[in-house]
Amino acid sequence: MTRHTPHFSRQLHVGCPNIGNREQLLARIEDILDRRWLTNHGPYVQAFEERLCSYLGVKHCIAVCNATVGLEIAVRGLGLGGEVIVPSFTFPATAHALAWQGITPMFCDVDPETHNIDPEQVERLISPRTTGILGVHVWGNACDTESLADIAARKGLRLLYDAAHALGCGHGGQMIGNFGDAEVFSFHATKFVNSGEGGAIVTNDDELADTFRRLRSFGIENGDVVDVGVNGKMNELSGAMGLTSLESCAAFIDRNRSNYLAYQSALAGVPGLRLFTPRTTVHNFQYVVVEVDHRQAGLSRDHLVDLLHAENVLAKKYFSPGCHRMEPYQRLSGVASRSLPHTENLCGRLLQLPTGSAIDADDVRQIGDLLRGMTAKMRRAA
Ligand SMILES: Cc1ncc(COP(=O)(O)O)c(C=O)c1O
């Protein structure tokens, strides 16, 4: 049997880390080592927080060791308990941040066009035990922030956003980071601006900011332990990396945008493949999301992903399955029988393609040709 030679000799990853100015980063690391100030709110973490505040136009930024811990701190600082309404169509960290605090995630369906939490469904899930809504700006596309704010105000609920995908995205004349009571960003290595591991909670509320800062640092305030806190601090190496990465943010977005436009041309007219169009006017384009219509394309999403992997195009299946189908949540009362048709549909049909600074327009053109060829072959065989 002859061995298959992949089309690409290198692996093309989704979320291959962007590296900013390497010399600048190395100089900053030298400086950190010279100062021997490795963590505990050092100058690079402070500079990163300040730069994020001015970039987002937000009052407070609390850098943390990752977005999952950031969400946990925000959930606790907002005083959430009982039940919180959250989309099932998200990365498990969103639901875990609630369950880890003993809160029941009430899984909500999404809008099939925006992939974001559906406010009408949110309203239906509100019970006397509901304390908040945790929305996710999926792919950096803003949630329906107006409707969610209206529901939260009318029902006396807290409103938190998981903005892990949404740095650099704007909505209604404001940057994401300014909506709800607080928002949480991720700077994980796979995010287009990254600090290796890292995250940030942002808010325009002074009191909440003090609470989040206290909870991030063992519940210590002015030297006294006044709360049960955690160690959620970002270290200086991550601070320097985040700062350096943020300085290249515009260049990263430019590359993502040009790759996105190249995908638009490369996939034009391929039956059964629909490129997701962001609704948010200011966008980071960090996810290239394709919806596969099995019947029109001639093959399923899973089959297509297997074929792409064989060519070293390491497409992803975010988010599959939805959180409500994951082992720890299926056991929760009422979850197994809850109908989330749009979530189920998206979980079975979406794939993500590589982009970022490791990919260029020529790679995209070749990926497009591969997809065109794969789908045409399957349709001919049918
Ligand atoms: C929507 C969403 N929320 C939360 C997280 C968790 O972020 P972190 O890895 O920084 O904890 C991720 C990570 O990819 C994510 O995609």
Side-chain angles (χ1 to χ4, degrees):
M1 212 168 79
T2 53
R3 267 188 73 190
H4 173 76
T5 307
H7 176 84
F8 287 97
S9 54
R10 71 187 207 284
Q11 292 190 323
L12 276 56
H13 292 269
V14 172
C16 181
N18 287 331
I19 310 294
N21 183 328
R22 194 181 284 246
E23 289 73 37
Q24 177 73 282
L25 176 60
L26 293 175
R28 284 171 170 164
I29 291 171
E30 291 280 2
D31 184 41
I32 290 168
L33 299 181
D34 290 344
R35 285 173 201 256
R36 296 177 189 253
W37 190 348
L38 304 188
T39 189
N40 287 1
H41 209 51
Y44 284 104
V45 168
Q46 289 180 43
F48 185 41
E49 290 182 338
E50 280 162 23
R51 198 67 66 86
L52 280 166
C53 280
S54 59
Y55 178 56
L56 301 171
V58 71
K59 216 165 161 193
H60 301 283
C61 173
I62 296 98
V64 285
C65 54
N66 59 60
T68 307
V69 168
L71 285 166
E72 286 167 15
I73 292 171
V75 162
R76 203 173 169 105
L78 285 166
L80 299 181
E83 295 173 357
V84 169
I85 300 167
V86 63
S88 165
F89 189 68
T90 181
F91 190 68
T94 323
H96 290 349
L98 298 168
W100 195 255
Q101 311 279 333
I103 296 167
T104 307
M106 295 299 288
F107 292 115
C108 185
D109 210 355
V110 290
D111 178 305
E113 286 303 312
T114 65
H115 303 179
N116 279 333
I117 192 165
D118 177 356
E120 271 184 34
Q121 304 286 328
V122 168
E123 196 128 20
R124 277 188 220 147
L125 285 171
I126 294 173
S127 81
R129 295 193 68 227
T130 309
T131 57
I133 303 164
L134 172 46
V136 183
H137 304 298
V138 175
W139 323 131
N141 202 36
C143 288
D144 182 347
T145 53
E146 292 81 6
S147 302
L148 293 173
D150 173 61
I151 295 170
R154 275 192 288 110
K155 303 287 182 181
L157 303 176
R158 288 296 208 174
L159 180 56
L160 172 64
Y161 286 108
D162 177 338
H165 296 181
L167 186 82
C169 297
H171 171 57
Q174 275 195 309
M175 294 300 276
I176 287 182
N178 289 277
F179 297 99
D181 293 301
E183 308 210 49
V184 179
F185 293 101
S186 170
F187 302 115
H188 182 258
T190 53
K191 301 298 183 284
F192 82 107
V193 167
N194 80 83
S195 58
E197 288 274 3
I201 315 169
V202 295
T203 181
N204 285 310
D205 184 309
D206 300 343
E207 220 174 294
L208 280 176
D210 286 345
T211 305
F212 297 151
R213 287 198 182 99
R214 189 169 67 234
L215 293 179
R216 168 181 66 175
S217 195
F218 312 103
I220 297 174
E221 200 170 66
N222 301 326
D224 294 322
V225 177
V226 295
D227 223 331
V228 177
V230 71
N231 182 359
K233 288 176 274 111
M234 176 179 272
N235 70 70
E236 278 291 271
L237 296 163
S238 287
M241 194 159 182
L243 181 63
T244 311
S245 188
L246 188 59
E247 286 163 353
S248 292
C249 180
F252 295 151
I253 292 178
D254 277 353
R255 174 63 75 88
N256 286 347
R257 185 186 295 105
S258 63
N259 283 345
Y260 174 81
L261 295 174
Y263 273 115
Q264 242 180 0
S265 329
L267 298 181
V270 180
L273 300 190
R274 185 162 78 115
L275 191 60
F276 177 78
T277 314
R279 268 76 179 165
T280 301
T281 42
V282 177
H283 206 73
N284 61 31
F285 296 95
Q286 75 171 314
Y287 291 98
V288 174
V289 182
V290 176
E291 188 165 350
V292 182
D293 180 323
H294 186 153
R295 251 175 2 115
Q296 285 182 31
L299 76 176
S300 68
R301 184 274 312 268
D302 289 354
H303 191 174
L304 198 52
V305 167
D306 287 346
L307 293 178
L308 286 167
H309 281 211
E311 305 303 340
N312 270 344
V313 179
L314 304 184
K316 288 280 189 186
K317 301 186 214 175
Y318 294 139
F319 300 106
S320 182
C323 293
H324 72 298
R325 293 281 173 234
M326 290 173 181
E327 170 60 24
Y329 298 112
Q330 260 186 329
R331 287 191 255 117
L332 293 178
S333 123
V335 167
S337 59
R338 188 163 308 142
S339 164
L340 302 175
H342 299 311
T343 300
E344 302 279 2
N345 192 33
L346 293 176
C347 290
R349 287 161 76 111
L350 297 187
L351 62 84
Q352 292 75 33
L353 294 170
T355 187
S357 56
I359 304 292
D360 64 20
D362 189 50
D363 296 322
V364 172
R365 187 188 49 73
Q366 293 181 55
I367 294 170
D369 287 347
L370 284 172
L371 285 166
R372 200 175 288 273
M374 287 164 181
T375 53
K377 187 171 165 194
M378 296 310 291
R379 283 195 309 277
R380 274 198 307 274

